[in-house]
Amino acid sequence: MFGLGWPEVVIIAVVAIVIFGPKKIPELGNALGKTLRGFKEELKTPSEDTNPEYEEK
């Protein structure tokens, strides 16, 4: 996973819990998931408004 081993993942998780608190972590995960889903969907089906290559000059 991104070249990280389990010790590094555990350290990152502990630091995140200390910084944001255990109640805020699920909210941040939910927001991150929605953002990534939006990016993934946009990469699959780009709209004409967001793709400047199709603009006529």
Side-chain angles (χ1 to χ4, degrees), residues 27-46:
E27 295 174 17
L28 293 173
N30 190 12
L32 179 63
K34 286 181 181 179
T35 302
L36 291 176
R37 267 184 257 127
F39 283 140
K40 189 175 180 181
E41 183 178 318
E42 189 64 29
L43 286 174
K44 285 183 180 179
T45 58

Side-chain angles (χ1 to χ4, degrees), residues 2-57:
F2 302 114
L4 297 176
W6 283 110
E8 291 88 2
V9 172
V10 170
I11 291 171
I12 291 170
V14 169
V15 169
I17 290 172
V18 168
I19 291 175
F20 298 112
K23 292 183 180 180
K24 192 76 171 172
I25 296 292
E27 295 174 17
L28 293 173
N30 190 12
L32 179 63
K34 286 181 181 179
T35 302
L36 291 176
R37 267 184 257 127
F39 283 140
K40 189 175 180 181
E41 183 178 318
E42 189 64 29
L43 286 174
K44 285 183 180 179
T45 58
S47 64
E48 292 178 11
D49 294 339
T50 60
N51 198 344
E53 294 176 354
Y54 294 113
E55 288 183 15
E56 294 184 26
K57 295 178 180 180

